[in-house]
Amino acid sequence: MAVRRIVAIVLPQLACELVKQRGPVSPSGKAPLAVIVGGDEERRAALAARSEREPPAPVAVIDVVDDEARRYGVRPGQKVVEAAALVAHLAIHRVTFAEIDAALGRVAEVALGLGATAAIQLGEQGAPRSGASRAARAGERAASAARSPWGDGPYDTVWLDITGASHLVGGEEALLDELGERVAALGHRARLAIADGPRLAQALARFSGQALDGGGRGVDALIAPPGKGAQAIGPLPVQALPVEREVASFLVRLGVLRVEDLARLPRAQVAARLGPRTPEVMELLAGRDPVPLLPFEVPRLIEEEVLFDEPVENAESLLFVLRGMTSRIASRLAARGEACGRLNVAIAYDRSIARLRLGDREDDGAAALLEDDERGPSLRFHVDMPVPLSDAGDLLRPIKAKLERIELAAPAVGVHLIASRITRARQVQLDLSRDRSADPDSLPALLAELSAEIGQERVGVLELADAHRPEARSRLVPVEDEAVAARPSAAARARAAAERAAAEQGGSAVGGNADGAEPPAPEPARLLPQPIPLGRVGRGAIVAVDRHLYAIERLSFVMRIDAVEWWTPTPASRDYARAWLVSGSPSGRAAPARLGELRPRDGASASSCGEAWIYVDRATGEAFLQGWCT
């Protein structure tokens, strides 16, 4: 039977990193940071009720500090008043349990590609209630008085079961390197360790003091050989064991500083001093850690949400946050081997300012303001991808194009991003025949950006249609997937079928005029969006096009359509012709062609400046300029 191997991913600065992902921690841009882990209801009430940011209550206790604040002497467990006395410019922020749960879930999601089971909670801590929401679970955590590394706190560890899987990536060291890179792509610093159980691995990662930055440094010291868990945790301080803080302090006063010092004492005397968790401690001292992992359930939809302590009033700050959100979504999609086809963006407004500014407005900007009982006023839009994409840059480009054209109606207090329409990502075969291969997602990313900027209905591919009227022979088809561009139109399919039938019969009528048949009517090279009225025309007539006068030098009949689409209210009966136009004047005298104009053909004179495609409405006798020929 294979020895159980567990990886512990400890994120010591998780709460601080979540704050920094929102934007600058202070108006000056950089300052020592301290974080208070608060409840969801408290956080939401603070965001909804404030008109300006209110400082945390003086009785609040700091839970996490960054390296800069630690150098000033600020420590977790201090009151806000004590910390502010040490550092006057200390920035203090709150992080909700839901934000921490979501961040741990992201790490578990990207780690699942390297192991069988990922967990953000141990089995001994109890499974969450069936059907309980994230906010409900966070409330339960907030109500818990236990705040030790072995209870619900400090919410900074993800576990991964790699039993029998490390050889697939080249061994345990290579697995830690790959895992460190994936966690670093999410914007987190991680401490990694491998041991025979989750609590052993967590103690090694948390108290060994060797942090990974994505390059895999210090991995050897963080791997406990199979069956050597007791020896691996021996040099660690006694605080690494699941004992109460008072018990750990008592042991330190007695001179028992390390785990191996405690292991040398008589078991009966040790058991009398360790409190209610004596069985767990004795198991760990013996190197046994059978605690099961509570499997993490990967959500089908990928969501990212950021709440701001300071309202944001410009698109640049929102793009800074969205860049990190799309990067994390891309990492999660890559770990799944999937891509998304739609991004839904919700920008939450400040309630009071939004209602004040938009209370009397009824324009399109106010129409984009949606009321939600839970989140309040918000601006919502979505971006559809022509092809499912998963790269961070490709996901950000259409959002950026859309956001740059939107004016915020009120300061934003949060951003919610959802990736939906998730499907399996395309696997592109490597191209060894060229020095530089083409990115298959470059065109879909460009189409998504154009669709967000000018509208999805204005971006697509032209498709030929089987129609008599020239303006109806092509239409713009939106690019919904990669098969649209390669799909032949109805007219092309009919033409191909006719060519195949003619080839089978040995005929030569298709594609040629060997039997004396007339060639097909010439087609215009460019059609105008709307035909330009010319009045009644004839040879020598003067017509005005875009405030320029032209003389018709020659007319050549092309074709006639009669009662086309007779079942519609406006059937078409027209005579089509090609007209050679020259630069004219009211006197009818033709002027020489200007430099760069079209050259004459089919017997036209050297003064011809263009071949126009016109038609005459047979019902009224009026002529219209519809396009230009080659």
Side-chain angles (χ1 to χ4, degrees):
M1 182 177 179
V3 179
R4 187 188 187 199
R5 300 296 282 171
I6 303 296
V7 178
I9 309 169
V10 176
L11 310 173
Q13 293 290 314
L14 176 60
C16 296
E17 290 161 350
L18 292 178
V19 172
K20 293 176 181 179
Q21 289 174 1
R22 304 171 187 168
V25 298
S26 69
S28 61
K30 186 178 182 181
L33 176 62
V35 179
I36 301 172
V37 180
D40 290 335
E41 292 77 12
E42 181 180 1
R43 167 78 168 167
R44 188 176 295 113
L47 287 175
R50 68 159 191 264
S51 57
E52 60 181 3
R53 182 175 178 272
E54 299 176 359
V59 295
V61 176
I62 295 175
D63 295 303
V64 184
V65 297
D66 67 352
D67 295 336
E68 185 176 0
R70 189 176 293 274
R71 286 195 295 268
Y72 280 101
V74 182
R75 294 292 184 268
Q78 285 183 335
K79 296 182 180 180
V80 172
V81 173
E82 298 172 349
L86 292 174
V87 187
H89 59 290
L90 180 67
I92 303 176
H93 292 256
R94 286 188 179 273
V95 172
T96 67
F97 292 105
E99 289 176 296
I100 292 179
D101 276 344
L104 294 177
R106 289 192 293 266
V107 175
E109 195 170 342
V110 301
L112 265 176
L114 300 174
T117 303
I120 63 175
Q121 203 173 10
L122 297 181
E124 66 171 1
Q125 297 172 230
R129 293 192 315 249
S130 176
S133 63
R134 179 181 297 172
R137 295 197 303 270
E140 292 177 358
R141 286 186 169 186
S144 176
R147 291 190 55 79
S148 69
W150 310 102
D152 285 336
Y155 324 117
D156 63 353
T157 306
V158 175
W159 293 275
L160 179 67
D161 190 347
I162 60 168
T163 304
S166 60
H167 68 281
L168 299 176
V169 292
E172 293 182 346
E173 293 184 8
L175 186 143
L176 287 184
D177 290 342
E178 175 66 22
L179 194 55
E181 292 178 0
R182 294 192 179 190
V183 176
L186 295 176
H188 302 303
R189 288 194 306 166
R191 294 179 179 178
L192 310 180
I194 301 179
D196 295 343
R199 296 178 298 183
L200 293 173
Q202 185 186 43
L204 283 173
R206 178 173 289 151
F207 293 94
S208 63
Q210 301 203 22
L212 296 180
D213 59 359
R217 294 194 296 268
V219 173
D220 293 339
L222 300 180
I223 299 179
K228 303 293 184 179
Q231 293 83 345
I233 66 172
L236 301 182
V238 292
Q239 289 84 356
L241 295 174
V243 295
E244 303 295 337
R245 182 176 302 178
E246 294 78 7
V247 175
S249 300
F250 173 75
L251 293 175
V252 170
R253 291 196 301 270
L254 291 180
V256 182
L257 304 181
R258 295 179 297 180
V259 174
E260 58 188 5
D261 297 336
L262 184 63
R264 296 192 190 101
L265 298 178
R267 296 178 62 90
Q269 298 180 8
V270 170
R273 295 289 186 177
L274 294 181
R277 291 194 169 183
T278 299
E280 302 174 22
V281 175
M282 303 308 294
E283 287 282 335
L284 292 177
L285 292 177
R288 295 187 294 269
D289 188 10
V291 176
L293 303 181
L294 186 64
F296 173 75
E297 297 180 6
V298 178
R300 185 55 190 163
L301 292 180
I302 297 180
E303 299 185 42
E304 291 286 337
E305 185 174 14
V306 174
L307 300 177
F308 305 132
D309 282 335
E310 295 287 347
V312 173
E313 301 191 35
N314 54 74
E316 290 77 9
S317 300
L318 289 177
L319 287 175
F320 173 81
V321 176
L322 286 169
R323 184 177 293 106
M325 298 173 75
T326 53
S327 176
R328 293 191 292 273
I329 287 179
S331 299
R332 297 169 66 181
L333 289 172
R336 295 181 177 194
E338 296 178 334
C340 71
R342 169 177 284 191
L343 290 174
N344 300 275
V345 183
I347 301 174
Y349 287 147
D350 186 281
R351 293 175 183 265
S352 57
I353 299 180
R355 291 168 181 168
L356 178 64
R357 292 182 179 179
L358 298 177
D360 300 328
R361 290 176 53 181
E362 297 181 356
D363 54 4
D364 295 337
L369 186 66
L370 301 180
E371 281 287 346
D372 189 331
D373 293 340
E374 182 180 357
R375 300 183 183 273
S378 61
L379 174 66
R380 301 190 178 190
F381 60 89
H382 68 270
V383 176
D384 289 326
M385 312 293 177
V387 174
L389 301 174
S390 59
D391 183 74
D394 296 340
L395 298 178
L396 180 63
R397 286 169 59 185
I399 297 179
K400 180 179 179 181
K402 189 86 170 180
L403 192 60
E404 288 177 345
R405 302 172 60 88
I406 296 177
E407 181 180 358
L408 295 179
V413 296
V415 180
H416 190 204
L417 183 61
I418 301 177
S420 57
R421 297 183 181 177
I422 297 177
T423 183
R424 184 177 296 275
R426 297 181 300 168
Q427 301 297 326
V428 180
Q429 186 174 3
L430 296 178
D431 189 357
L432 302 179
S433 62
R434 292 180 292 182
D435 294 338
R436 185 176 181 180
S437 60
D439 184 6
D441 290 336
S442 57
L443 179 59
L446 176 61
L447 294 178
E449 184 177 5
L450 291 175
S451 300
E453 187 169 359
I454 64 177
Q456 186 178 6
E457 68 282 356
R458 299 182 180 180
V459 179
V461 295
L462 286 177
E463 184 181 66
L464 296 178
D466 191 7
H468 292 283
R469 293 182 294 113
E471 65 270 20
R473 291 178 183 174
S474 65
R475 61 175 178 266
L476 186 66
V477 179
V479 181
E480 297 178 355
D481 53 47
E482 57 183 345
V484 172
R487 183 183 62 193
S489 62
R493 291 193 297 269
R495 190 179 302 109
E499 291 178 357
R500 288 195 300 269
E504 293 175 357
Q505 296 175 4
S508 59
V510 177
N513 55 354
D515 56 355
E518 294 184 0
E523 297 288 345
R526 182 170 66 93
L527 291 179
L528 301 176
Q530 294 295 333
I532 299 176
L534 300 178
R536 294 183 179 273
V537 299
R539 184 175 181 180
I542 303 298
V543 296
V545 179
D546 292 338
R547 293 183 289 183
H548 291 82
L549 295 179
Y550 299 93
I552 298 179
E553 184 184 48
R554 181 185 173 194
L555 282 173
S556 176
F557 176 79
V558 176
M559 66 178 181
R560 170 179 291 181
I561 59 176
D562 187 22
V564 170
E565 299 178 358
W566 53 267
W567 58 89
T568 64
T570 57
S573 296
R574 304 171 181 173
D575 286 337
Y576 285 89
R578 286 193 299 170
W580 281 261
L581 303 183
V582 296
S583 298
S585 61
S587 62
R589 179 180 299 177
R594 294 188 295 271
L595 182 64
E597 293 174 339
L598 296 177
R599 308 315 303 164
R601 45 185 301 196
D602 294 344
S605 68
S607 62
S608 297
C609 67
E611 299 179 17
W613 177 270
I614 67 173
Y615 71 86
V616 178
D617 191 335
R618 299 180 61 201
T620 62
E622 298 291 327
F624 295 85
L625 173 63
Q626 194 178 28
W628 300 94
C629 301
T630 56

